[in-house]
Structures are given as C-alpha cells and as structure tokens.
C-alpha cells in the first residue's frame, strides 16, 4: 500500500492504495463512490469518465497513483456543496437526456469538461466532445439538446427540482 | 380529444434526478454483507465432449468458497424449449456454454480460480450454417432430438397464395439475410442471489420479467429440493433492457446454486466481453420472400419462408416468428398470405428478444421488396404504399382487428416533410427511401396472461403510493404511470410515489416487452386510480352534501362542478375518512388484462388490442467510391394514439431509430465458426454521438379508444422500418439493392463494381 | 488486475536506472491507455511500471529558430489537437490526432506511446511519416536518433531497446508550398481504429502544380505503418492532378500487404488506397494554394 493525497470533489483525501489500482477501482470499491460507472473497463465507452485537473479521463485506465496532488471531480461532486444541481444536471433532466441513466454520470462530466473550456459550443463541437461516451437509449439527440440549452452557461447554483415539481 | 392537465405534458423523467447525481443504484453498485463474487468458466470449443474437469486446484485456492461443475448440480432444464442447463455436463454446444462456476471472496480470486480449472475436451464436428445443419449428415447438436430442426412448426396460411401468384401482373422474388446484432446495454447483466435461513431466495435483479422470473426460479428451487421456498425479486436500477433481460439465464441459476451452497449472497456481474458473447442476440434469419401486385398496384399475395439460426439453445428468439407474422400478414392490405419458418440448431450463440421481436427482420425483407415491386409496376413507392395502406376497421388475414390506424397520415407526413415528389428519383448519389411499420400497440398476448396489476394507497395528506407491476428499464414507465394517476386523481406529479421493483409488494405483470407498458400498465394504473377516485368522491359527496356525479377532483381539491365555492381539500377528506369510527383508508387495486387473443393453432388471433403504425423516410448520400452512406435527413411519423409524455416518447423514437440505423449500416456481431470475433465497443459498431442521426419525429394522434387516455405503445416501433427505409434510399441514390444487413461500404462498392461489368 | 509496483521517477537518469535495475520485469508507462489495457487483457504482466509522466520537459510542441518542430514524446494527442501551430502548419497531424479515440483518451494518451505501441493502425504515426519525422531515444547506452520510417520492425516491434525511452520527435523544416492531409477511413465517425489510414505530405514547386516532394504514409496496409516509396518517386517532378494521382494510388496499392480482418477486407482496403490518395492529393493542393492566397 502507498499513501496518496489528492483533492476529491472539493475535499482533501489521504488514502492508502495499491499501486495497481485504477482510479475507477479506488473510487467505486474503496471510497464507495459508485456514481462513476464501469461500462467496459477498456476505455471504450466513457461511462467511467471523471475529471482530473479539469480534464475528462477514463478512470478505468487511470493509474490511481497518478492522482497524487490532483483535483478529481466525480459525479458526486457535480452538485454544489449546498446540494443544488449543476445546470447541466438540470438540463439533462429537463430535456429527457436520461433514460436508463448508466451513461449519464460519465456523459455529464464530459459535457462539463467541454463547457468549462468552451461555454458556447456548436453542435459539432458537442458531438465531438461527447463521442467517447456511448449511450444506447437516447440516440444522443436529447443529450445534445440539453448541452446546447446552456447557451448562456454560467456555473451557478440552481435549486433542486425533483420529480417534475412545477 | 379530452382536455387534460398532466397527461400530454413534457414532464421530466421521475428517476432522472437520481441518475444525474450518481445516486441511482445499479446491480454493479450493490454490495451485501458477506457477499461473494461468482464467475463463470466458458467453453473453449464450439462443440465438444467434456472428458474431464479437474477443479482441485481451484478449490484449494485461498478465498474460494465454492466451485461447481455440470455433474455436481441438479440436471434442471430451463428456457423456452427446456434445452438449456446452468452448467453443461457431458458436452458443450457453443462457445458461450457454461462449464464451471466459482464463488470467492473477491472477484480477482474468483478469476484466478477459473484459471486453475482444468477441462479436457474432445472436440466434435460442428455446424454453423443453419442450412447445412438441416442436412442429414450434419452433426446433431442435441442428441435427444433426431434432427437439428426444432419441432416448432411456424406456419400461417390465409387465402390461396399460388392462385394469387398466377393472377398477379407483377411478382418479385428475393432472398434477404439478416445477421446477429446485440443489445449493448450500457450496464452489463448481473444479479445477486441471497438465501435466508428458511431457504427463501431474494434475487437482486435487472430482469424485465420479475413475475415470470419468479416463477422460473421457484421451479428451479423445487428442482433443487427446496419445495417450500419463497422467491422475492428486487430490481435495481436497470442499465438498459431492449429485450435482453426477457428470459432467465444460466448466470442467474448459477448465482442461486452458488449462494445456496455457500449460504452467502453471491453476485455475478458480466464484464463487457461476456456481455457481448454470452448474452443473447437478435435472431438472424435467411428470408425467402415473394410478393405480387396487380397493374394498378394492389398487393395480391405475400409468401415468405424463413430459416432461423437458433444457435445451440432456445430462448425467445425461436418465437420471434409469432411476431413476424404480424407484419407478414398485416402490413398493408394483402389478401393472400403464406408464411413458414424453421428454427435450426447450430453451434452458434442463441438469440432472444431484441427491440421489435422479429419485426425489424421481417419488415426489412417486406419493405425492401415493396419498393422493388413498385418499380416493376411502374408506381412511385410512396403511392404504392398509399394504395395498399391499412385502414381502421380492417380485419387482416391473421385476424388482427385494426381499430385506430394512422398509417396514411404517417406516410403523407413523411412524404411532405422529405419533399418526396420533388426530390425522389433524382439520382446524383442522393436518394430518398421510405418504409412503414405495424407493431403491437395494445399489449401482446404471447403468454397466458397479458395483464398488469396496480395497487394504490393514499396517505392522510393527499399523497399517493402506486405499486405497479410495470418494470422501469429507462423507457419512462415510472413517469407515464405518474402522469396517468395524477391526471385521474387531480394531483400533481410530485404527489405520486411509484413503487415498481419488488415482487413482495408489487402485483403481477407479464413483463416489459412488446411495447406494452404504457398501454397495459397505464390502463391498470388508471383503473386503480378510478377506484380511488370513486371512494374519494363518495366521501366528499357526504361532506359536501352533493351527488357524486356533481363533483370533480382537481388541484388536490374536490368541488361541485356547477358551484366551485363548495369545495373541500383532498387531504381533509382523506383524514375524515381515516379518523372516524370504523374509519377507512383509501386503497384500491386493479388488474388489467387486455381483451386480446392468444394465437390459435393456425397462428391466427387478435394478439393486441390495438396496433401501432408508423412510416419512416430518409434522405441519404452515398459516396460511390468508398461505399459510405451518410444520412442527411430522417423523418419518423408514428401513430401513438396519444402522447402521454411527448418528451419521453421522442426519446423512444430517437433511440429506436439510432439502434435501427446501426442495424442497417454498421452493427454486426461477427461470428467465426461460432466464436464472437468482436466482443468490444471498438469493433462492434454501435453509433457514437458524432454519428448522431438528424431525426424529425412526427407524432400522429389517433386517440385510441382502448388506450389509457388514448395512448398506444411506442417502445419498439422506432427501430422497425429503419433498415428498409435506408436500403430503399440507397437504391434511389445509386441503383444498388443490398439484401443483407448490415449494408457495409464493402457491399456497396462490390455491388457497384459488379453493376459496371 | 495483475498487481505491480508503480514508480514515478522525476528525471531521465532516474527512469533509466530504474529500468536497468528491474530489467525485463519493468515497463515504461506514459498515458497508460495502451499499457493498462494490455495488462487488463493479460497481454502484459510487468512487476514494475515506470511512469514517464513526471519527467520534466518531455511534453511540449515547439518550433525552433531553424524551423525544426520538436514534439516531446509525452505530448498528448489533445495538446496537439489544440495547438494552433499544428493546426496551421501540420494539418495532416491535426487531421489525425483529433480522431484518435475519445477526448478522454486524447487527454492522456501520448504521441510517443502511440508510436511505441507500434500497431499498424496507429493514427499518430502516419502523419509523422509524411512529415519525415525522426525520433530520439535515450537509454543506458546514451542517446540516438533514428528516422521514424525505419523504426518499426513488425506488429508491436520496434528498433527501441528495452530500457530506452523515446523522448522526442523532430520534424525537419517544411519546404515552402507544403501541406498535407490524413484520412482515417472508418465505419463510424468516432471511436474507431481505421479500416485504412492514409496520409500525404506534399510540397509543390513555385508553379504550384509540380510535385517537388511527396511523402505518402499508409496505416493498416502492412504489418507496420509504411511509406509508399515507389508512388512517391513517381509523383516527384510531375504535375499533381487526377491523372497522376490515380497512378500514384495504383502504385501505392501495389506496395501494400493487405490482409482480411474483421475490420475490413483486403480487396476493399486496396481499392480505398487509390480513392483516398486522390482525395488527399486534392486536399493537399487546396491547402497549399489556399494558404498561398
């Protein structure tokens, strides 16, 4: 076991890890942050996407020891500390971008990485940015619409609107 | 149509909040105390005798709790044809045959244990082509059967096809082929089996058929000698279904056996490779078809014979002809129909239900050939379709009773949207194509019951708990049922709580298949809500000193229609009912079983209460040098009866079409001598976001009298006519007709070269 | 997953001494998208992984005063994709890198790793071949430079010795009137390995018609990425037009050693060589004359 220290969803984490763990294994099996999904284990589907220093990566191929000193954001860290949804999460809900939901966490983090870099992406840019996140349910249309809807995207907290509340 | 408040709204999916925050728990996310990890050893051969299995090294490995082989488990058969076992004893018949299973304290130890199991095989001659498997000298897959042809004589005859053929002015005859494709659920298959001390089983599951799976497992437990066991199925969030979870599988029985042996919970979750090679595909087929028409374009007959590659075992794939009969007999008015299908064992993987259940395969052949026949007759294929379009009131050769039918409207809106008349037949590497569909839209009686139960209880505050048999696989049944109940009871969607994942509390349902959930579970929920409403209005009538008929329930209030001043908040009524002498809780149950028919001995009968219609049109551009096809524009018009939630409905259409485009152009599970060669997303060509197809979805509302608020099913239709619409557009663009799927660039370039010579 | 120690040297010397002391049981890892996949698929089972990510100055894109482009081996595909310099002056490389894997992969996968992996389908290799790239290896025996075109010996096999680290690529100064392009021929639009990958680097004479110099690289056309040398020789000194490009395509196809695979059939791949070379020629011409204006 080796000690690592990094920032995870805004908190400092100090942990003992096995050198051969992937970041995904560490998150899911040891920190029990199961919001990050394993869809293929081979970097081919994007379900395990997390942000490492603001960049989207496949956590299933990311050696855990390379997170030393990094800032990691997982789906659990996308909400504001007060529990408000990220605008992208709200947009996904409002636009029907979620069906079975298995790809949603990874998809959302890829979309966040895109918008953080490029707040007004074209449809083409969105399709490129999300090409590494497979979805079998939606045909992508409503996902693209959700991302596009944040034309005036600002990282601002919005209130939770559960279950179709008006 | 009725004025409605909640039905018809684009209400976000109920469970989307949990899903976008990572809180939804899938089978992969679930751990029970003391849980073991199960893994399966698969065959190394397509067909071989198992000479010996040595598990001694695996058993000695630290952390291993159980090792099972085929000889050590009860010889219990499962599957539609009862030809499958959880572990194979004696011989293996395909690469996906389960040979041994292990439970260990962690998945890596389980994997290591598999590596330590030594299996000695004696390879047998194998057969991979169903037509070869039908030959007398072909190796027998199941010795118990004298032939590889299954004794399921699919045969539908109506009218006199031969007579009609001889009377036809034009006849087309062709052979089409469709191959293996697979569901690609993003969440892989899995389950956790857990026994209590009384041998009651709890199965954490992703099944699409909780009630039928419960029955399957109960039978299996009986076979294990556990006669008094109960089975409870708890569904986790399900990472996609599309038909893949419509049967029970060896891995589930293995989890049960391992858990029973170890007295600990056992989880088996597939990795992606297993998901590709060890789950069941869409049914491949060889389709010989002929159709005829008169000079003025009226269809005279349709004659189809099919050979289905059954694979080594039998699941629902072998029953897809029952649904293929629907488009074969009833897509367009066709007076004379003949259809036969043979299912043939091979040493390939075996098939299952997959979105459309045979309909995409049959419709590919029919609708491709409709264009060919129309060309022979010199009639525009759109006009040809209009001439033969189905109509309300029709009874088809299979005795389907067509009630509402928006086919004509769908065809016309597609033609309009695509500028059919101006743009078709221009060539120049661009082309237009269209195809129609019929599908079950009001349940499908494939099982003895096509029902779904609902129980509703109200609390003291005006909130309602709805216990439904309907399974949620991402399609949005949770939301649709919420809307239906809220509409009926004058509540807000947030007042409705759906409980839909536990057989201990939820009523029976035949399963989420056949695009039936909105229709059947929706009618069931509406029936229960109506009974609740009756009770509420009954109490309110006393309190308001009015007749029940004078009252209405809206916005959490009961009031007198003519005099809205006279009103009571719903919660007051509920408390009044509860806190009085001999008080009463407001609860109701309702079981809805549609008045549809099982197919009779001639495979005829009105299997659905109503039928979903649709037409798709597509504009493509073909690169004649590379053979690549680009979809420029896709229009899909669907008769949905009524859209309960247009946003979720569009999601079904977009998703179905995208899957259908994959079926048409890119997707293929490649089997070489029975072995899956592309068990990964790199080489299995499911479409990416960058491939996104630009789709316009047109909703045609025919307000079906039997549907809940007029609705019909829409889960599957999106992927039914996609492939023939694209094939027809390619023909319009470059004059090349590809008759086997997928339509790859190689096939197009090869066909163009052949055309030139 | 197979277990290993994970070492993070912070200098080249340290990395080399680590690999020397652990010998064949150690492997270098850069972005890890290939190495971790191979370990998971049990195609590799090292006891030590030596990370190159923390070596200074191995990631970067720089053109020096002589016009030589230096690409650090640890430069990620994403860095290349987002480099204005690459987009403007090395369009073939730009074409290639933006279509490798996904954003997630490109964020970590490096151009050096792509080359060391030495698969015939490596998209990053072909444009570098067409740019006449050389590479620098540093190892226990010192430093050496090689032309990329002679680097590959076979699938997964290169001239690199165990213990050597690929540190950088350098690309000779571009001739005037030079451009190029890369076409990755695929079934889908993304997440693909190519059915065929073809790249071209073209320099025109002052008349903007005559080929002064051309390099043609082909991926998935032979066991290793290859140059179509006879085709290049044919075009040199001739006018670049449909007619000559057709002949270039024909010659290049003859230089390939195609095979059937699940990703594509040999006859089709061979056929596509000509189609794509024609298109590459036209795109390159356009790009040169476009930049001229």
């Amino acid at each position: 076991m080796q000690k690592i220290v990094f920032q995870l969803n805004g908190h400092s984490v100090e942990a003992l890890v096995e050198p051969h763990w992937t970041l995904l294994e560490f998150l899911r099996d040891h920190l029990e942050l199961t919001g990050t999904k394993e869809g293929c284990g081979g970097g081919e589907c994007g379900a395990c996407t997390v942000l490492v220093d603001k960049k989207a990566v496949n956590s299933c191929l990311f050696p855990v020891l390379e997170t030393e000193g990094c800032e990691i954001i997982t789906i659990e860290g996308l909400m504001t500390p007060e529990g408000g949804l990220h605008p992208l999460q709200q947009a996904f809900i409002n636009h029907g971008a979620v069906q079975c939901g298995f790809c949603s966490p990874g998809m959302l983090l890829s979309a966040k990485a895109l918008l953080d870099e490029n707040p007004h992406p074209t449809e083409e840019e969105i399709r490129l940015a999300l090409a590494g996140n497979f979805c079998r349910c939606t045909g992508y249309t409503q996902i693209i619409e959700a991302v596009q809807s944040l034309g005036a995207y600002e990282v601002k907290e919005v209130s939770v609107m559960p279950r179709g509340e008006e | 149509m009725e004025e409605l408040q909640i039905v018809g709204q684009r209400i976000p999916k109920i469970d989307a909040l949990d899903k976008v925050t990572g809180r939804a728990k899938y089978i992969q996310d679930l751990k029970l105390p003391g849980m073991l990890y199960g893994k399966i050893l698969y065959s190394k051969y397509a067909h071989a005798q198992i000479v010996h299995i040595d598990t001694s090294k695996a058993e000695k490995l630290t952390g291993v709790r159980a090792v099972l082989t085929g000889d050590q488990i009860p010889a219990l058969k499962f599957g539609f044809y009862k030809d499958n076992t959880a572990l194979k004893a004696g011989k293996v018949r395909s690469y996906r045959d389960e040979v041994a299973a292990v439970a260990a304290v962690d998945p890596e130890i389980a994997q290591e244990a598999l590596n330590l199991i030594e299996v000695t095989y004696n390879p047998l001659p194998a057969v991979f082509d169903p037509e070869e498997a039908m030959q007398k000298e072909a190796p027998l897959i199941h010795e118990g059967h004298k032939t590889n042809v299954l004794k399921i004589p699919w045969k539908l005859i109506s009218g006199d096809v031969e007579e009609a053929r001889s009377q036809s002015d034009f006849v087309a005859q062709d052979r089409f082929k469709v191959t293996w494709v697979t569901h690609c659920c993003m969440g892989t298959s899995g389950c956790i089996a857990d026994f209590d001390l009384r041998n009651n089983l709890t199965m954490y599951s992703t099944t699409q058929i909780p009630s039928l799976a419960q029955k399957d497992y109960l039978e299996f437990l009986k076979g294990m000698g556990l006669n008094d066991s109960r089975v409870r199925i708890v569904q986790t969030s399900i990472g996609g279904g599309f038909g893949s979870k419509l049967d029970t599988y060896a891995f589930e029985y293995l989890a049960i056996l391992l858990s029973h042996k170890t007295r600990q919970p056992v989880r088996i979750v597939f990795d992606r490779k297993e998901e590709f090679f060890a789950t069941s595909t869409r049914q491949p087929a060889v389709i010989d078809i002929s159709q005829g028409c008169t000079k003025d374009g009226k269809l005279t007959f349709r004659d189809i014979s099919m050979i289905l590659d059954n694979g080594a075992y039998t699941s629902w794939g072998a029953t897809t002809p029952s649904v293929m009969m629907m488009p074969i007999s009833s897509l367009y008015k066709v007076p004379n129909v003949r259809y036969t299908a043979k299912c043939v064992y091979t040493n390939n993987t075996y098939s299952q239900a997959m979105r459309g259940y045979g309909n995409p395969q049959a419709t590919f052949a029919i609708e491709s050939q409709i264009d060919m026949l129309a060309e022979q007759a010199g009639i525009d294929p759109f006009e040809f379709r209009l001439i033969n379009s189905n109509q309300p009131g029709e009874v088809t050769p299979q005795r389907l009773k067509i009630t509402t039918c928006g086919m004509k409207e769908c065809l016309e809106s597609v033609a309009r949207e695509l500028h059919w008349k101006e743009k078709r037949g221009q060539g120049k590497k661009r082309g237009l194509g269209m195809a129609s569909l019929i599908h079950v839209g009001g349940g499908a009686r494939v099982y003895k019951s096509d029902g779904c139960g609902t129980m509703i209880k109200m609390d003291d505050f005006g909130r309602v708990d709805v216990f439904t048999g309907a399974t949620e696989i991402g399609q949005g049944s949770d939301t649709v049922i919420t809307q239906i109940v809220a509409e009926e009871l004058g509540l807000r969607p947030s007042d409705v709580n759906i409980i839909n994942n536990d057989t201990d509390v939820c009523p029976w349902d035949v399963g989420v298949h056949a695009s039936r959930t909105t229709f059947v579970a929706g009618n069931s929920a509406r029936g229960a809500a109506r009974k609740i409403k009756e009770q509420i209005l009954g109490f309110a009538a006393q309190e308001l000193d009015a007749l029940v008929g004078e009252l209405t329930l809206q916005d959490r209030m009961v009031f007198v229609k003519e005099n809205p001043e006279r009103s009571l908040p719903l919660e007051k009524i509920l408390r009044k009912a509860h806190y009085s002498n001999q008080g009463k809780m407001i609860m109701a149950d309702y079981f809805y079983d549609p008045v549809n028919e099982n197919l009779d001995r001639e495979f005829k009968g009105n299997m659905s209460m109503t039928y979903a219609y649709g037409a798709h049109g597509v504009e493509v551009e073909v690169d004649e040098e590379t053979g690549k096809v680009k979809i420029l524009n896709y229009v899909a018009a669907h008769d949905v009866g009524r859209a309960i939630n247009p946003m979720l409905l569009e999601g079904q259409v977009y998703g179905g079409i995208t899957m259908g485009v994959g079926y048409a152009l890119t997707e293929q599970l490649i089997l070489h001598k029975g072995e899956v060669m592309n068990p990964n997303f790199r080489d299995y060509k499911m479409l990416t976001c960058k491939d996104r197809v630009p789709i316009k979805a047109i909703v045609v509302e025919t307000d079906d009298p039997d549907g809940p608020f007029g609705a019909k099913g829409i889960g599957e239709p999106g992927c039914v006519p996609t492939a023939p619409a694209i094939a027809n557009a390619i023909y319009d663009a470059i004059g090349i007709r590809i008759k086997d799927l997928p339509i790859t660039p190689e096939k197009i370039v090869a066909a163009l070269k052949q055309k030139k010579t | 997953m197979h277990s290993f120690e994970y070492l993070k040297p912070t200098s080249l010397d340290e990395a080399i001494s680590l690999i020397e002391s652990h010998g064949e049981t150690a492997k270098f890892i850069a972005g890890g998208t290939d190495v971790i996949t191979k370990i998971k698929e049990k195609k590799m089972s090292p006891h030590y992984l030596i990370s190159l990510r923390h070596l200074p100055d191995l990631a970067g894109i720089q053109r020096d005063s002589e016009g030589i482009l230096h690409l650090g081996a640890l430069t990620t595909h994403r860095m290349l994709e987002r480099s204005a310099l690459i987009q403007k002056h090395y369009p073939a490389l730009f074409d290639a890198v933006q279509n490798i894997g996904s954003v997630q992969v490109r964020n970590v996968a490096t151009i050096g790793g792509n080359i060391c992996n030495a698969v015939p389908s490596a998209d990053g290799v072909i444009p570098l071949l067409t740019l006449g790239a050389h590479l620098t290896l540093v190892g226990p025996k010192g430093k050496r430079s090689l032309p990329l075109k002679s680097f590959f010996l076979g699938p997964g096999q290169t001239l690199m010795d165990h213990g050597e680290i690929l540190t950088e690529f350098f690309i000779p100064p571009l001739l005037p009137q030079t451009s190029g392009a890369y076409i990755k021929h695929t079934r889908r639009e993304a997440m693909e390995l190519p059915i065929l990958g073809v790249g071209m680097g073209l320099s025109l004479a002052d008349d903007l018609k005559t080929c002064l110099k051309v390099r043609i690289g082909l991926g998935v056309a032979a066991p290793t990425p290859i140059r179509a040398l006879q085709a290049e020789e044919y075009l040199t000194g001739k006018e670049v037009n449909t007619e000559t490009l057709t002949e270039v395509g024909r010659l290049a196809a003859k230089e390939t050693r195609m095979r059937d695979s699940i990703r594509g059939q040999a006859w089709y791949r061979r056929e596509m060589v000509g189609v794509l070379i024609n298109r590459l020629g036209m795109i390159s011409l356009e790009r040169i004359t476009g930049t001229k204006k």
Side-chain angles (χ1 to χ4, degrees), chain B residues 592-626:
Chain B
Y592 176 76
D593 191 11
V595 195
N596 47 11
E597 300 164 2
N598 286 113
L599 298 182
D600 64 14
R601 281 161 172 247
E602 295 184 327
F603 296 105
K604 289 175 186 164
N606 189 38
M607 69 168 101
S608 185
M609 281 281 277
T610 184
Y611 296 87
Y613 283 93
H616 286 192
V618 58
E619 182 177 11
V620 301
E621 185 174 67
V622 184
D623 183 330
E624 288 189 298
E625 288 183 324
T626 63

Side-chain angles (χ1 to χ4, degrees), chain C residues 171-227:
Chain C
I171 290 163
L174 300 174
L175 295 171
Q177 288 109 231
T178 291
S179 193
Y182 176 74
I183 297 178
K184 176 176 185 165
H185 191 54
T186 57
R187 185 75 56 84
R188 291 186 292 225
E189 289 298 306
M191 299 301 284
E192 286 278 46
L193 293 177
I195 297 169
L196 180 72
V198 189
M200 181 181 284
L202 179 68
S203 303
L204 294 182
D206 287 341
D207 65 358
L208 290 181
K209 284 177 186 161
T210 310
C211 168
L212 203 60
K213 168 100 193 139
V214 64
R215 293 193 191 92
I216 295 165
L218 296 160
V220 214
T224 65
I226 56 165
R227 286 260 304 272

Side-chain angles (χ1 to χ4, degrees), chain B residues 435-456:
Chain B
S436 316
L437 79 100
I438 177 176
H439 200 66
V440 287
R445 206 166 197 86
V446 289
Y447 197 72
K448 281 167 279 181
S449 170
D450 190 21
C452 173
T454 308
M455 301 188 300
I456 300 187

Side-chain angles (χ1 to χ4, degrees), chain A residues 32-63:
Chain A
E32 302 197 336
L33 292 174
T34 55
T36 306
K37 304 302 176 198
E38 176 164 9
C40 72
E44 292 175 353
C45 79
C48 67
T49 303
V50 301
L51 305 188
V52 176
D53 290 341
K54 300 193 166 64
K55 290 196 192 88
V57 305
N58 291 315
S59 62
C60 73
L61 297 182
F62 201 89

Side-chain angles (χ1 to χ4, degrees), chain C residues 22-44:
Chain C
H22 295 301
E24 294 287 332
T25 63
K27 292 271 181 215
F28 289 122
I29 177 171
T33 51
D34 284 322
V35 170
I36 300 291
T37 309
K38 279 186 182 150
I39 292 173
K40 283 187 170 191
E41 289 173 357
K42 301 186 177 62
K43 289 178 183 158
M44 189 193 269

Side-chain angles (χ1 to χ4, degrees), chain B residues 266-530:
Chain B
V266 173
R267 183 173 93 186
I268 296 182
V269 168
F270 278 6
D271 62 27
R272 182 51 62 183
K273 190 177 172 191
E274 280 176 297
E275 187 72 15
F276 270 110
F277 84 83
T279 64
S280 294
T281 58
R282 180 176 281 158
Q283 184 74 56
V286 179
I287 305 165
D288 286 308
I289 173 170
S290 56
Q291 298 182 83
C293 69
T294 61
K295 268 193 292 252
D296 50 5
K298 285 210 168 96
L299 282 169
T300 46
F301 77 95
R302 186 175 289 151
D303 187 10
I304 296 183
S305 85
M306 260 187 219
I307 298 166
L308 307 182
D309 182 342
N310 196 62
Y313 301 95
T314 311
S315 178
W316 297 116
T319 71
T320 50
S322 66
V323 172
M324 294 186 188
M325 286 172 176
M326 172 184 51
I328 289 170
S329 66
S330 311
L331 179 62
Y332 306 118
K333 276 179 283 195
V334 51
N336 301 286
V337 172
R338 181 166 64 191
Y339 172 55
T340 57
K342 285 194 172 97
C343 303
V344 186
Y345 280 128
T346 64
N347 294 109
N348 291 319
T349 187
Y350 65 95
S351 302
Q352 235 279 58
M354 181 171 166
R355 205 175 203 163
Y357 208 95
N359 200 343
Q361 296 97 308
T363 300
F364 172 59
I366 296 167
E367 279 290 43
S368 293
Q369 200 184 51
I370 286 285
D371 264 40
M372 301 163 84
L373 191 59
E375 189 181 15
Q376 276 195 47
I379 301 171
D380 175 277
F382 163 60
E383 297 296 337
F384 192 92
R385 287 179 169 85
L386 280 185
I387 292 167
N388 292 288
S389 171
N390 297 106
Q391 281 170 330
E394 215 179 296
V395 176
T396 77
Q398 202 188 357
R399 285 214 320 268
L400 310 186
K401 292 176 186 138
I402 308 305
T403 54
T404 53
C405 171
M407 189 181 208
K408 253 193 178 135
E409 206 178 332
C410 288
L411 282 164
E412 279 162 354
S413 37
V414 164
R416 196 180 320 120
E417 195 66 36
L418 278 180
H419 304 285
W420 183 267
K421 290 205 168 112
E422 302 88 87
K423 281 179 145 182
R424 193 182 175 277
Q426 302 299 308
K428 296 178 195 158
K429 296 168 195 175
R430 286 196 175 193
L432 297 191
M434 68 163 64
S436 316
L437 79 100
I438 177 176
H439 200 66
V440 287
R445 206 166 197 86
V446 289
Y447 197 72
K448 281 167 279 181
S449 170
D450 190 21
C452 173
T454 308
M455 301 188 300
I456 300 187
K457 72 179 172 69
M458 297 214 67
D459 68 9
D460 291 342
F461 317 102
R463 305 284 168 115
V464 51
D465 293 312
V466 179
F467 301 81
T468 173
T471 289
E472 172 57 39
I473 49 173
Q475 87 281 36
S477 62
D478 55 351
T479 314
V480 163
I481 291 169
T482 294
Q483 286 178 265
I484 287 170
V485 170
E487 183 70 51
E488 196 63 47
L489 296 181
L491 298 172
R492 297 176 194 178
S494 56
D495 295 329
V496 180
N497 176 35
I498 301 285
I499 298 101
N500 58 359
N501 68 337
D502 185 344
T503 55
D504 266 11
V505 293
C506 296
W508 195 90
D509 175 67
V510 74
V512 54
H513 69 191
S515 307
R516 67 184 280 282
T517 299
T518 291
F519 188 94
V520 179
N523 269 327
S524 174
R526 192 177 189 193
R530 277 179 168 157

Side-chain angles (χ1 to χ4, degrees), chain B residues 108 626 683 685 691 753, chain C residues 1 189 192 263 268 271:
Chain B
E108 287 174 19
T626 63
D683 289 319
K685 309 291 185 188
D691 298 281
K753 281 163 95 83
Chain C
M1 191 162 61
E189 289 298 306
E192 286 278 46
R263 292 187 192 128
Y268 178 75
E271 184 101 5

